[in-house]
Structures are given as structure tokens and as C-alpha cells.
């Protein structure tokens, strides 16, 4: 089954004003502070931002996998298939996780159990969620391995994670995440730990599987190159908030937020002078313990004015589907 081009978009996931907090020795911190975005069925949304901006915490909140007991969803809603995941009981959430929503992490070994065979790990989820009959499980697992490009799948089923290369492990993790044909795949830096040629293959694989299965993808990355490669919609996060959101064309061709512009300038270009300096955004993402009361990007922003320090910028519409949180965007 494929998603027809002419069907009206159906919102699959709507994150609404999500607030996620951690209890730390120095007090309560808000790693995600009022984040909203939505994902239509069958589409890819990218979440991009530097390290520490709250991308993984957003994903872990959706999956309800926040470290316990420090982490908690303190506000907002996570609507998915007519339910609010933020309110689900643990048993109900376990039925969603791995079944309707699959997840791929940066480091494949975090998702794999070193002491169990690939075959056991692949069939576990399918059997748990009852998506295949026990007598068919290994055959279906072999088909999945074949589909994610693993040679000799029958042999691989009997092997352990350490017998595979990093790229092959990530293919196994993708196969596990997709075993129950989820409606949504959340991929958190799925290629960051892999070398460049393997990165491209894994992104291509996710794109192919998405087209084939019609699932939606939330692609989390610090790399705008990955966003350009895979996404139709983009959320730019900075210090726990959404700085800008829009289509991939909005963000790449007419970025409105100085932070988005800074990220774009920091992409190495193949056609640039070999000696030309790569743009960098000076400074660092503010720590969660001493967040500024105004715009969180103010101390790094080349366009900041006194007013930017006074109060957080409101979210404004730049054009249909394109929003920015910057008081100065009209003047830039
Ligand atoms: N278990 C935790 N306890 C306290 N703070 C945390 C915890 N996990 C993440 N954070 C904080 O939340 C912020 C966002 O982290 P994260 O979502 O992992 O960033 P990203 O994925 O964008 O690199 C960081 O400042 C980080 O220090
Ligand atoms: Mg992360």
C-alpha cells in the first residue's frame, strides 16, 4: 500500500506546547520548553539544532522513555492517532512503542542486546505485538534483514551484534524498528556514529522503506545536510524551544531566524574556496540553569537589540506554514 499523492494530509502526530523537566542536584531544569509541531502521515519532519538543544529529550518524551525518576513531562500534549501519549498508562504506552512508533538511536548497540542473537531480537517485538505467527517469525525476520540490505540473512539471524559492522548493526536496528510496520519512525541521529559512505546508504534505506511502507518519519539531526536529503518539513530547535519551523524550502531558501541562518552558513560547501573559512556561530548554547529571560539566542545573535534581552520573542507567522520566534525577523 502506498500513500496516494492526492489524498488530503492527515495529522499523525501533534506535539502541542510540550514541556519536559529534569530534577537535578542544582534544581529543576526545563530541557524542552513549550515545543509544538505536527507530522502528517507518510511525511518526514526534521528536527535540527546544535547539541544540547533538546532534540533527543523531545524524542524520548514522545516515546515516554525519559530517564526515571529525574525526567517528566510537565506540560502539553502529544497527540498520536487520537490519543494523548503524555497521558497514557505504562501498559498502554508499551503497546504503542515498537508497534505504532518505532525508534532508531544514534548508537546501534544501545538498541541491541549483546547476549542475544539477531534473530531473537528481531522476532521478539513481532511476537510481543502479535503481528506474526510464531512459526513464521524467523522467516519474516530473514525477509526483513534482506529488505534492509543485509547479505545472507539466514546466517545473520544466528549471529550476535558484535559479529556485525556498525553499519550492519544500524540496518538491524532499522529492521527491528520497522518489524511491526509502525505508522511513525523516530530516528535520532541515526547516521551520526557511522562513516560517511555508510551514512548515505542508511539515509537512502530509510527513504526507500518510507516510500514502500508509507510511514511518517521524524528525523533528528544536528546536520542540515541530512535534513536537505530527507525532509519535507523542518523544526529548528534552540535551547529547548522552537526557533523556526517551515518547509525545507522555507528553511533553506528564506530562513527568517538568525540561528537558522547561522546553521546554514556553517554547512561546508563543495564549491567553496578550499581556504575559505567555514562559518561558525560564535558562542555556545546557554546552559539550562542560567537561561536568559529574553531571547535565548540573544548573546550569540549578530542582530540582537536591547529589546531582545527583555522578553522572549513571540512566535510569528512569516508565511503559510512558516513560523519564526524572533522579534527582528522583519528587519533582517
Ligand atoms: N537525564 C538528564 N538530566 C538532566 N538534564 C538532562 C538529562 N538529559 C538531557 N538533559 C539536558 O537536556 C538538554 C537537552 O539535551 P538533549 O535533548 O539530549 O540535546 P540534543 O539531543 O539536542 O543534543 C541538555 O542541556 C541536557 O544537558
Ligand atoms: Mg541528541
Amino acid at each position: 500500500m502506498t500513500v496516494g499523492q492526492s489524498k488530503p494530509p492527515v495529522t499523525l502526530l501533534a506535539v502541542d506546547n510540550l514541556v519536559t523537566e529534569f530534577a537535578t542536584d542544582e534544581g529543576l531544569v526545563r530541557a524542552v520548553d513549550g515545543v509544538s509541531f505536527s507530522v502528517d502521515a507518510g511525511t518526514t519532519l526534521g528536527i535540527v539544532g546544535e547539541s544540547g538543544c533538546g532534540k533527543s529529550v523531545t524524542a524520548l518524551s514522545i516515546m515516554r522513555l525519559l530517564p526515571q525518576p529525574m525526567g517528566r513531562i510537565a506540560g502539553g500534549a502529544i497527540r498520536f492517532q487520537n490519543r494523548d501519549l503524555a497521558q497514557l498508562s505504562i501498559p498502554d504506552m508499551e503497546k504503542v512503542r515498537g508497534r505504532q512508533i518505532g525508534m532508531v538511536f544514534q548508537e546501534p548497540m544501545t538498541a541491541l542486546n549483546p547476549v542475544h542473537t539477531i534473530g531473537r531480537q528481531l522476532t521478539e517485538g513481532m511476537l510481543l505485538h502479535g503481528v506474526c505467527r510464531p512459526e513464521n517469525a524467523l522467516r519474516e525476520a530473514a525477509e526483513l534483514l534482506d529488505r534492509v540490505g543485509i547479505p545472507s540473512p539466514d546466517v545473520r539471524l544466528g549471529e550476535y551484534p558484535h559479529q556485525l559492522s556498525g553499519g550492519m548493526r544500524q540496518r538491524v536496528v532499522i529492521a527491528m524498528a520497522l518489524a511491526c510496520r509502525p505508522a511513525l519512525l523516530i530516528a535520532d541521529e541515526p547516521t551520526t556514529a557511522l562513516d560517511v559512505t555508510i551514512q548515505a546508504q542508511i539515509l537512502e534505506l530509510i527513504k526507500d522503506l518510507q516510500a514502500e511502507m508509507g510511514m511518517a518519519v521524524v528525523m533528528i539531526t544536528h546536520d542540515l545536510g541530512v535534513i536537505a536529503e530527507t525532509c519535507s518539513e523542518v523544526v529548528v530547535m534552540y535551547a529547548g524551544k522552537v526557533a523556526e519551523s517551515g518547509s525545507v524550502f522555507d528553511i533553506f531558501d528564506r530562513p527568517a531566524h538568525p540561528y537558522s541562518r547561522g546553521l546554514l552558513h556553517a554547512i561546508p560547501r563543495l564549491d567553496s574556496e578550499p581556504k575559505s573559512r567555514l562559518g561558525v556561530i560564535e558562542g555556545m548554547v546557554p546552559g539550562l540553569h542560567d537561561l536568559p529571560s529574553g531571547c535565548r539566542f540573544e548573546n550569540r545573535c549578530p542582530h540582537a537589540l536591547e529589546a531582545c534581552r527583555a522578553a522572549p520573542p513571540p512566535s510569528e507567522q512569516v508565511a503559510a506554514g512558516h513560523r519564526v520566534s524572533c522579534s527582528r525577523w522583519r528587519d533582517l
Side-chain angles (χ1 to χ4, degrees):
M1 192 183 79
T2 53
V3 175
Q5 294 293 314
S6 53
K7 278 190 198 163
V10 178
T11 304
L12 179 68
L13 172 73
V15 173
D16 184 13
N17 213 8
L18 176 68
V19 177
T20 302
E21 293 177 342
F22 289 103
T24 73
D25 292 345
E26 291 91 55
L28 212 56
V29 293
R30 282 198 167 178
V32 172
D33 191 3
V35 163
S36 301
F37 58 85
S38 64
V39 187
D40 288 341
T43 65
T44 301
L45 172 99
I47 303 182
V48 69
E50 288 162 292
S51 180
C53 282
K55 307 182 298 296
S56 293
V57 173
T58 301
L60 294 174
S61 303
I62 297 168
M63 294 300 276
R64 295 275 306 274
L65 288 173
L66 291 167
Q68 295 299 309
M70 309 83 81
R72 69 172 193 120
I73 295 173
I78 302 168
R79 290 190 199 88
F80 177 78
Q81 294 179 336
N82 301 321
R83 291 194 285 182
D84 181 1
L85 300 185
Q87 305 294 340
L88 282 195
S89 67
I90 290 170
D92 283 344
M93 192 61 213
E94 279 166 356
K95 289 183 199 134
V96 173
R97 202 187 293 136
R99 174 67 190 90
Q100 273 99 19
I101 309 181
M103 180 143 182
V104 175
F105 297 88
Q106 173 171 338
E107 173 45 63
M109 279 314 274
T110 55
L112 294 170
N113 187 329
V115 302
H116 291 155
T117 61
I118 303 297
R120 170 163 173 186
Q121 300 188 57
L122 258 176
T123 52
E124 210 164 36
M126 295 193 266
L127 295 173
L128 175 74
H129 294 294
V131 297
C132 80
R133 300 164 70 91
E135 61 271 29
N136 298 336
L138 274 176
R139 188 174 46 77
E140 292 202 12
E143 279 169 17
L144 263 169
L145 286 186
D146 183 53
R147 181 60 200 89
V148 298
I150 295 189
S152 321
D154 290 313
V155 179
R156 293 302 192 181
L157 285 178
E159 292 186 341
Y160 292 86
H162 73 266
Q163 294 175 278
L164 276 65
S165 67
M168 286 294 159
R169 278 182 210 145
Q170 197 61 306
R171 286 173 192 267
V172 170
V173 173
I174 291 170
M176 276 167 64
L178 300 183
C180 297
R181 299 203 154 232
L184 174 66
L185 175 73
I186 301 179
D188 188 357
E189 308 266 6
T191 61
T192 304
L194 307 174
D195 68 49
V196 176
T197 46
I198 310 293
Q199 280 189 17
Q201 292 170 11
I202 295 287
L203 291 181
E204 205 53 44
L205 174 66
I206 293 175
K207 273 202 292 191
D208 288 351
L209 291 167
Q210 173 179 30
E212 192 179 306
M213 299 185 175
M215 65 189 171
V217 176
V218 172
M219 177 65 72
I220 297 176
T221 175
H222 65 279
D223 182 346
L224 273 172
V226 171
I227 297 280
E229 218 29 61
T230 53
C231 300
S232 47
E233 299 293 317
V234 186
V235 170
V236 180
M237 278 189 76
Y238 187 76
K241 286 185 175 285
V242 175
E244 182 166 6
S245 59
S247 72
V248 71
F249 302 107
D250 293 331
I251 303 300
F252 280 79
D253 294 348
R254 36 185 180 268
H257 200 291
Y259 181 59
S260 313
R261 295 177 178 205
L263 287 178
L264 282 162
H265 281 127
I267 303 183
R269 292 180 57 120
L270 289 176
D271 57 356
S272 64
E273 292 277 314
K275 285 213 178 93
S276 74
R277 196 163 158 267
L278 188 64
V280 285
I281 312 173
E282 300 288 342
M284 274 170 30
V285 183
L288 296 177
H289 291 287
D290 50 357
L291 286 171
S293 50
C295 171
R296 292 182 180 181
F297 189 58
E298 178 272 331
N299 64 331
R300 301 172 75 187
C301 182
H303 310 287
L305 299 176
E306 196 53 47
C308 302
R309 210 168 300 166
S315 167
E316 293 182 36
Q317 177 160 314
V318 178
H322 184 185
R323 300 192 72 83
V324 68
S325 294
C326 171
S327 320
R328 298 223 53 213
W329 71 271
R330 285 175 208 279
D331 311 322
L332 304 181

